[in-house]
Amino acid sequence: AVRCKEKPMSDLFLPRREVAKALGGVHLETVKRWEREGKLPPPVRISRKTVGHLQSTLDRFIARIAASAGQA
């Protein structure tokens, strides 16, 4: 995880591989597919090869999924 300068100091950048682990160990291609399909928020690119999500964005996504699962 890398600190992102554009957001508050507590917000960490998580590369896609770490995002996959945080989402229960899904495959990296699943993360990319969910981004394309709009199931995950758009990723953040910090270099040509480094793409991922901010921790706060991922936390909100997980909370939203958990809340919708609780309603089912």
Side-chain angles (χ1 to χ4, degrees), residues 2-28:
V2 179
R3 293 230 180 257
C4 182
K5 294 179 183 177
E6 297 176 11
K7 295 289 180 178
M9 289 298 288
S10 61
D11 210 359
L12 295 177
F13 174 84
L14 299 175
R16 278 182 173 147
R17 290 194 188 283
E18 290 186 37
V19 171
K21 289 178 189 176
L23 294 174
V26 299
H27 196 275
L28 180 59

Side-chain angles (χ1 to χ4, degrees), residues 42-66:
V44 175
R45 180 176 300 276
I46 63 169
S47 74
R48 188 167 72 62
K49 292 184 176 182
T50 306
V51 180
H53 292 269
L54 297 177
Q55 179 72 52
S56 61
T57 304
L58 190 60
D59 289 344
R60 285 192 302 272
F61 171 77
I62 292 170
R64 190 182 76 215
I65 296 300

Side-chain angles (χ1 to χ4, degrees), residues 29-49:
E29 292 302 318
T30 301
V31 172
K32 292 177 184 179
R33 185 178 74 246
W34 288 351
E35 291 168 351
R36 282 191 311 271
E37 295 173 351
K39 293 180 182 178
L40 269 174
V44 175
R45 180 176 300 276
I46 63 169
S47 74
R48 188 167 72 62
K49 292 184 176 182

